[in-house]
Amino acid sequence: MTVKQTQWTLSGFGDEISPDPLIQVAVLQALGANHIEVRSAWGTNIVELSEEDLTRLDQILREQGMGVSAIASPIGKVDVTIPVTVELDRLRKAIHAAKVLGTRYIRIFSFYRAEGTGPEEVRDAVMDRMRALAAEAQAHDVVLLHENEKDIYGDTPERVLDIITTVHSPALRVAWDAANFVQVGVKPFSEAYDMLRPYLEYLQVKDARADDRLVMPAGEGDGELRETIKALKEDGFEGFASLEPHLANAHHLGGFSGPTAFGVAGRAFNRLLEEAGVGTK
């Protein structure tokens, strides 16, 4: 009897490669990816793209046979004192982009706080905003993926769990970022996996060293990616794994790698998958 191989869908942040979507697609496809996570195109964030450029991007991706795994929005990556209406307006733009580009997933964050302010002081404001965002997403049949970015409310596994269980919405799930956990002093698999696995729906692939917080290719840091991949395979995970290497200096739209470093990161992750017996599609 033939045993079916576990397969994950490989994707990646296109704008970590180049501002040009055609170059983004070429590098991703060379790594075996047939999906892309869209954060920006032609140097413009996805929630600020004109309707003309959004249509042009959709046409390019369709012509190249490229699906979209998620909209990597900046929503929630602002101070928690910003009125929720501002983020709801941006979410509606992200939802529109998701509909045009054919994905149900939108990456979001859970708000910064002022220096010297403890997370418990902003918890209620965070939850109010996350509930509003989740309600808007649910009304439009999309799913928000909360990324555990450092310095936001949901930067530790305990606070990610707090958000997910308090909001308690099918439209809010977890995007797992091992490197970001390492950068806040968390051992991702040892200290977070069991806690968050019931809500984990999407992987963002990067690694980091614990001693200096430096981002590394997958498997070369302390993000416990081998253990995580093995456990996800055993748990039956078959979702998206999106490369977000951050191997060069950050730019105004987020992390950047360039084509060469992105390729290094992609091949490193593919080696880990091969070791674990996980295929990609």
Side-chain angles (χ1 to χ4, degrees):
M1 185 178 71
T2 302
V3 177
K4 180 186 173 185
Q5 183 188 38
T6 299
Q7 286 196 311
W8 297 355
T9 303
L10 188 63
S11 183
F13 281 63
D15 65 352
E16 282 223 11
I17 298 166
S18 167
D20 184 341
L22 283 171
I23 297 175
Q24 296 175 11
V25 169
V27 172
L28 283 165
Q29 289 183 337
L31 292 168
N34 293 308
H35 285 75
I36 186 170
E37 184 160 349
V38 180
R39 181 172 55 193
S40 69
W42 304 291
T44 301
N45 191 277
I46 186 65
V47 298
E48 297 170 356
L49 274 184
S50 67
E51 192 66 24
E52 178 183 5
D53 281 343
L54 186 60
T55 300
R56 179 162 62 118
L57 177 60
D58 178 54
Q59 182 177 355
I60 288 171
L61 296 179
R62 288 179 185 275
E63 288 174 351
Q64 300 301 315
M66 205 71 170
V68 174
S69 61
I71 300 299
S73 87
I75 293 159
K77 206 169 185 179
V78 297
D79 192 272
V80 72
T81 58
I82 298 293
V84 68
T85 52
V86 173
E87 295 304 83
L88 284 170
D89 285 344
R90 294 208 297 173
L91 177 58
R92 292 180 188 111
K93 293 175 182 176
I95 290 171
H96 176 64
K99 300 290 186 182
V100 171
L101 298 177
T103 181
R104 291 186 65 229
Y105 288 130
I106 298 173
R107 185 275 307 270
I108 67 165
F109 303 92
S110 56
F111 301 94
Y112 294 121
R113 59 188 181 274
E115 187 175 351
T117 303
E120 68 285 349
E121 297 176 70
V122 300
R123 182 186 182 277
D124 289 348
V126 167
M127 297 304 172
D128 287 345
R129 284 156 177 75
M130 298 300 288
R131 286 191 189 97
L133 294 171
E136 187 73 18
Q138 189 169 351
H140 290 90
D141 193 30
V142 297
V143 176
L144 305 181
L145 300 168
H146 175 272
E147 178 180 342
N148 53 290
E149 174 80 7
K150 56 186 177 294
D151 298 327
I152 60 171
Y153 180 82
D155 57 356
T156 65
E158 293 80 9
R159 286 197 290 271
V160 173
L161 183 65
D162 185 23
I163 292 166
I164 298 296
T165 56
T166 299
V167 175
H168 192 60
S169 168
L172 180 61
R173 306 290 285 177
V174 167
W176 177 275
D177 190 310
N180 289 351
F181 276 139
V182 171
Q183 291 179 330
V184 296
V186 171
K187 296 179 179 178
F189 180 76
S190 301
E191 299 174 354
Y193 184 84
D194 287 344
M195 187 186 306
L196 297 179
R197 176 63 185 100
Y199 314 101
L200 193 165
E201 197 151 326
Y202 195 95
L203 289 181
Q204 289 185 338
V205 182
K206 62 180 186 282
D207 205 344
R209 291 196 304 228
D211 57 354
D212 58 9
R213 308 300 198 249
L214 187 66
V215 176
M216 306 293 292
E220 297 181 21
D222 297 300
E224 301 181 318
L225 268 76
R226 285 181 175 83
E227 297 91 332
T228 303
I229 291 168
K230 180 177 183 290
L232 283 170
K233 178 188 176 184
E234 292 173 353
D235 286 348
F237 176 83
E238 290 194 329
F240 287 107
S242 183
L243 300 165
E244 189 191 9
H246 283 16
L247 292 181
N249 292 332
H251 62 110
H252 71 287
L253 291 166
F256 188 73
S257 296
T260 301
F262 198 97
V264 169
R267 289 188 290 274
F269 182 59
N270 281 335
R271 284 193 294 271
L272 293 185
L273 294 182
E274 187 176 352
E275 287 175 17
V278 175
T280 58
K281 57 184 179 179

